[in-house]
Amino acid sequence: MHPAGPAGTRVNMQEKDLPRERLLAGARVLITRSPERSLPLVDALQDAGASAFLLPLIDFERAPDQHSLDVACDALGAAAFDWLVVSSATTVHVLTAKAAERGLVPAQWIPARTRIAAVGAATRRLLEDRGLAVSLTPADDQSAAGLLAVWPGGDGKVLLPQADIASPRLAEGLSAAGSTVTAVTAYRTVDYPAAAERRLAIPAEGGGADLQPPSYALLTPEDAAAELADGRLDAVIAASPSAARRIHALSPLLGCRFVAIGRSTADQAAALGMPVAAIAAEPSPAGLVAAVAAALLTTEDAGGEPP
């Protein structure tokens, strides 16, 4: 079967540009996220004719230093910051939980005068779903570099809650632009599964409890390595640099196409020597289906055999 351009092509197709049925007929696609974060994508892949396989590689725990996080959150609620910079969807869930601890929803807690910047469109949507107005999101390069490229500068105070393994690039760039940055660890990234007593609760994405979830196969790392070694997977989707590192540790990808959600994930894969077949500019289910299609079409466009 198999759908795209040169390796590493950034794909920015809209759902209306794609055939409505069987775009990925027969494709076997590995998603390296937990089930609660994958169901809309699983559904979209199945609608396009693909089989979805889930390999949760990373999970999230509450930040070990809750005191420092709470001090920063109290200052946020007291309007001590000019900007709140949110660099991931997981951070939105942490902030929502912190608001709930205070008996509030985010829109009641975060002052209207505090401007909010989101690194990507998916993070922006989560913030807006919680009634928060987002003032700044990069249009094209949805990454730390993209946000820094459109940052207005100035000497304002910025709160930057982020993962324990976050690159210092964003904090350093904001500081270099004149901002006073308070960077605080909002959550810890660990191998899946996180310890139950420390696991960060993340609600399932896409639909309510009354909807029937799509079917998928849940793999172990050993299962996934065997599938890769036998050439039974057509594409793998990675959502973060840490996921790219864990995929690299599994097995050579051989004919499996690497699809990245975002430039930073693609850069990490390339640094590890894994060819990037496509980068999804829009991390929506439709955008990711388009990226997988683009990655797979590369083979046909080149006149080769499908992987």
Side-chain angles (χ1 to χ4, degrees):
M1 57 119 312
H2 303 302
T9 296
R10 179 176 288 273
V11 179
N12 192 14
M13 298 183 188
Q14 300 298 317
E15 190 173 7
K16 63 182 174 59
D17 297 326
L18 302 173
R20 297 296 297 180
E21 298 178 353
R22 317 313 292 174
L23 176 71
L24 298 175
R28 294 162 61 89
V29 181
L30 182 65
I31 305 169
T32 57
R33 305 183 86 177
S34 61
E36 63 263 30
R37 306 191 101 175
S38 302
L39 296 185
L41 176 56
V42 170
D43 196 40
L45 287 168
Q46 289 180 349
D47 283 349
S51 297
F53 298 81
L54 265 58
L55 172 64
L57 291 176
I58 61 174
D59 209 350
F60 306 104
E61 294 181 351
R62 294 184 298 276
D65 186 358
Q66 287 291 307
H67 175 72
S68 294
L69 179 57
D70 280 326
V71 167
C73 286
D74 287 341
L76 174 64
F81 296 102
D82 301 293
W83 281 93
L84 169 65
V85 175
V86 184
S87 59
S88 71
T90 306
T91 299
V92 180
H93 296 305
V94 172
L95 293 172
T96 302
K98 286 299 177 185
E101 288 174 9
R102 291 156 174 78
L104 302 169
V105 297
Q108 295 170 322
W109 172 46
I110 299 174
R113 69 172 292 273
T114 302
R115 288 174 289 178
I116 300 176
V119 165
T123 302
R124 179 179 189 129
R125 281 194 294 271
L126 280 178
L127 290 163
E128 291 175 340
D129 286 346
R130 285 154 177 78
L132 297 168
V134 178
S135 301
L136 184 67
T137 307
D140 298 318
D141 184 2
Q142 297 184 4
S143 66
L147 182 61
L148 290 172
V150 298
W151 184 252
D155 57 359
K157 294 181 179 179
V158 175
L159 176 61
L160 176 61
Q162 55 188 353
D164 61 322
I165 60 171
S167 165
R169 179 176 185 180
L170 182 54
E172 291 171 352
L174 294 170
S175 296
S179 301
T180 300
V181 180
T182 298
V184 62
T185 298
Y187 58 94
R188 183 168 176 255
T189 305
V190 298
D191 289 338
Y192 186 92
E197 67 275 14
R198 297 189 297 272
R199 190 169 192 261
L200 185 65
I202 296 176
E205 297 178 2
D210 57 327
L211 297 180
Q212 179 67 30
S215 61
Y216 55 84
L218 188 63
L219 304 184
T220 65
E222 294 76 18
D223 293 334
E227 293 281 328
L228 288 169
D230 290 344
R232 294 195 296 265
L233 292 172
D234 296 308
V236 57
I237 299 172
S240 67
S242 56
R245 291 190 291 272
R246 287 165 171 82
I247 290 168
H248 181 259
L250 287 176
S251 168
L253 292 186
L254 303 176
C256 182
R257 301 292 188 263
F258 187 98
V259 176
I261 303 178
R263 173 58 63 183
S264 60
T265 303
D267 289 345
Q268 178 66 81
L272 293 168
M274 293 189 293
V276 178
I279 305 169
E282 168 55 54
S284 66
L288 287 165
V289 167
V292 172
L296 298 182
L297 276 173
T298 302
T299 302
E300 286 190 349
D301 290 348
E305 292 297 319

